Amino acid sequence: MIRHKKKNYCIAVLLIGLALLPCDKITAQETSNPAVVISKDLKWSERMALSILKRDPKAWQIDNNEKTKWDYKLGLVMTSFQKLYEATDNPVYANYIKDYAETVINSSGEILNYKLEDYNIDNINAGKMLFDLYARTKDDRYLTALKTLRKQLETHPRTNSGGFWHKKIYPNQMWLDGLYMGTPFYARYTAEFEGGKDFDDIAKQFEQIQLHTLDPKTGLLFHAWDESKQMDWANKETGTSPNFWSRSIGWYMMALVDVLDYMPKDHPKRKELIQYLNEIAKSVAKYQDRTGLWYQVTDSGKKEGNYLEASGSEMFVYAFAKGANKGYLPASYKKLANKGFDGIIKKLITVDADGEIHITQVCASAGLGGNPYRDGSYEYYIKEKIKTDNSHGLGPFILAALELKK
């Protein structure tokens, strides 16, 4: 990759390969020109990023959105673009993030469609892009938005044992998803702005998940826990939901490896989090299919209706690879990660004639409760919509590819 420092450049992917042209030479229409070809010689991380740029010149258009919004899924994709920018130094990826941020944060630092009083832990996740944006631009609107999201965590409702509720509309509940939505942002904020004062509280979030969702039989973690045990989906003795959903476990594992980026090496809770990672990695590895992939309902294998699901598989690959790269996990997990990534490419990636790539078999969404009611049954998880190029499958693919340098 050629590196340019003095002028913003946009990517034009041509029949002859990859060329860099000044931004003012390329319109959005040209960027999404179906005649554009993405070189097969690029790494998978850039092939996916360029495919996203080709389909969706504006980040908010991902998932066929009709207008921009502050959204945890788009935040996940922006996180992957930030990591790609760090790896390539190509400003087109940074510009994609900045362009999205400017559509959801106004000049006063107010966040579009965000209400602190909703106490939705999902709303924290997109805030991760703001740290580097603020560092690059010194634009105070991003600092204001960061402070707003940190303020939410100060007053966010909690279980009696100190765990963040998933949302105000889901009282007394912790979901595995929420650990990724909240703790990496919390960890970076307290490391960079607060002298690391809240790492004990961050560790507490993982401690509560381990205490309340761990299944001693499989070693896997149930999707959620209701402290009140009042939800219809909750086990009346333990409060746990009834099934293991691969993406939720993937969210949790990504949260662990990302939080450890910021937790000081001498912090007493660091070893505890690494131990949690090793325990869940060992259990998840047992359920890796011969294809290298994992099923939507993690422990149910080829049971009727179950399928090899993209996003959970990608998240496991990312966590295994990063854990091994950082020395948190034994080196053998790098081999499992490579096997998983190869399975993703072979079974789930399709390539168009012009080089555009697509990720298939992505569970569009899954949760518990709400209206219509989601009961957490096996039948519920396998019947949720399955999509191609859903954002849940885009970001983790790039992150996994980057960790493996594929």
Side-chain angles (χ1 to χ4, degrees):
M1 177 60 68
I2 303 170
R3 298 188 178 186
H4 295 269
K5 290 293 189 179
K6 295 182 179 179
K7 187 171 185 178
N8 284 351
Y9 283 78
C10 277
I11 289 180
V13 193
L14 306 174
L15 288 169
I16 57 172
L18 189 69
L20 292 177
L21 298 174
C23 275
D24 57 6
K25 298 296 184 184
I26 301 174
T27 66
Q29 288 79 12
E30 288 170 325
T31 305
S32 57
N33 188 333
V36 166
V37 173
I38 297 166
S39 172
K40 62 179 174 47
D41 296 325
L42 291 168
K43 290 183 178 178
W44 283 108
S45 54
E46 289 205 83
R47 290 175 74 178
M48 179 60 82
L50 295 176
S51 296
I52 294 169
L53 284 162
K54 178 175 175 290
R55 289 189 294 268
D56 302 304
K58 301 292 185 182
W60 58 262
Q61 296 171 320
I62 295 171
D63 290 334
N64 299 310
N65 290 318
E66 295 182 355
K67 58 183 180 180
T68 192
K69 61 179 178 177
W70 182 257
D71 182 85
Y72 79 89
K73 299 182 293 295
L74 297 179
L76 173 63
V77 178
M78 295 304 97
T79 294
S80 72
F81 268 70
Q82 173 59 35
K83 296 299 182 183
L84 187 56
Y85 171 60
E86 292 170 8
T88 64
D89 211 20
N90 192 320
V92 71
Y93 303 126
N95 290 342
Y96 196 60
I97 299 168
K98 185 172 181 287
D99 179 72
Y100 170 63
E102 289 175 346
T103 71
V104 287
I105 299 174
N106 69 18
S107 59
S108 301
E110 295 172 325
I111 303 170
L112 184 71
N113 68 268
Y114 170 84
K115 295 180 181 178
L116 186 151
E117 61 272 18
D118 285 347
Y119 290 114
N120 181 345
I121 202 76
D122 286 346
N123 283 336
I124 301 298
N125 188 55
K128 291 188 293 189
M129 68 179 176
L130 302 177
F131 292 99
D132 294 293
L133 265 178
Y134 178 62
R136 285 198 295 270
T137 66
K138 301 303 179 185
D139 188 330
D140 284 340
R141 79 170 97 173
Y142 302 128
L143 181 60
T144 298
L146 280 166
K147 290 179 177 178
T148 298
L149 296 171
R150 178 65 182 92
K151 187 177 180 182
Q152 177 183 322
L153 293 179
E154 287 179 8
T155 53
H156 197 97
R158 297 174 180 241
T159 63
N160 290 327
S161 48
F164 290 127
W165 289 5
H166 193 61
K167 301 179 184 181
K168 188 170 71 173
I169 61 171
Y170 300 136
N172 309 302
Q173 299 169 35
M174 293 187 75
W175 298 12
L176 299 186
D177 320 32
L179 273 288
Y180 183 80
M181 302 305 155
T183 58
F185 173 93
Y186 193 3
R188 186 166 181 181
Y189 193 100
T190 201
E192 294 188 5
F193 294 103
E194 301 175 331
K197 71 179 183 67
D198 281 323
F199 278 115
D200 283 347
D201 189 42
I202 292 164
K204 179 185 288 185
Q205 306 308 309
F206 293 96
E207 291 166 353
Q208 291 302 303
I209 288 295
Q210 290 288 136
L211 182 63
H212 297 294
T213 71
L214 179 64
D215 174 47
K217 182 179 177 181
T218 62
L220 298 174
L221 303 171
F222 290 106
H223 187 178
W225 167 64
D226 172 19
E227 184 181 45
S228 73
K229 304 174 185 176
Q230 296 301 303
M231 296 301 295
D232 289 343
W233 53 256
N235 183 297
K236 298 311 172 189
E237 293 183 7
T238 64
T240 58
S241 59
N243 279 288
F244 307 109
W245 180 38
S246 287
R247 185 157 78 218
S248 69
I249 300 172
W251 286 128
Y252 180 76
M253 294 179 70
M254 291 206 303
L256 280 166
V257 294
D258 288 356
V259 162
L260 285 166
D261 285 342
Y262 306 104
M263 184 170 277
K265 287 185 169 56
D266 60 352
H267 194 282
K269 296 291 186 180
R270 184 178 172 87
K271 288 183 179 179
E272 177 181 88
L273 297 192
I274 292 173
Q275 181 62 31
Y276 292 160
L277 176 63
N278 276 266
E279 290 172 2
I280 189 59
K282 182 179 180 181
S283 298
V284 164
K286 294 176 185 176
Y287 293 96
Q288 188 174 25
D289 183 69
R290 61 181 178 78
T291 59
L293 305 174
W294 284 264
Y295 282 88
Q296 164 79 340
V297 180
T298 319
D299 66 328
S300 294
K302 295 181 180 179
K303 184 177 176 179
E304 186 177 358
N306 209 10
Y307 62 95
L308 296 168
E309 198 276 329
S311 65
S313 297
E314 292 164 349
M315 291 176 180
F316 293 152
V317 167
Y318 169 69
F320 281 4
K322 185 172 181 177
N325 287 340
K326 295 279 190 176
Y328 311 141
L329 293 174
S332 57
Y333 282 93
K334 190 74 170 285
K335 294 180 181 178
L336 297 181
N338 275 302
K339 179 181 178 181
F341 194 84
D342 291 345
I344 292 165
I345 299 303
K346 184 176 180 180
K347 296 290 187 180
L348 303 181
I349 288 289
T350 63
V351 184
D352 294 346
D354 64 1
E356 181 181 340
I357 68 171
H358 306 273
I359 181 71
T360 64
Q361 292 182 213
V362 185
C363 173
S365 181
L368 295 155
N371 185 20
Y373 191 79
R374 301 168 294 179
D375 64 4
S377 64
Y378 174 82
E379 291 71 24
Y380 162 70
Y381 285 108
I382 63 169
K383 289 180 180 178
E384 277 287 17
K385 290 180 181 179
I386 302 171
K387 293 193 174 182
T388 294
D389 294 333
N390 178 271
S391 52
H392 292 102
L394 300 175
F397 179 89
I398 293 172
L399 292 171
L402 285 168
E403 281 298 327
L404 291 170
K405 296 181 170 60
K406 286 283 189 177

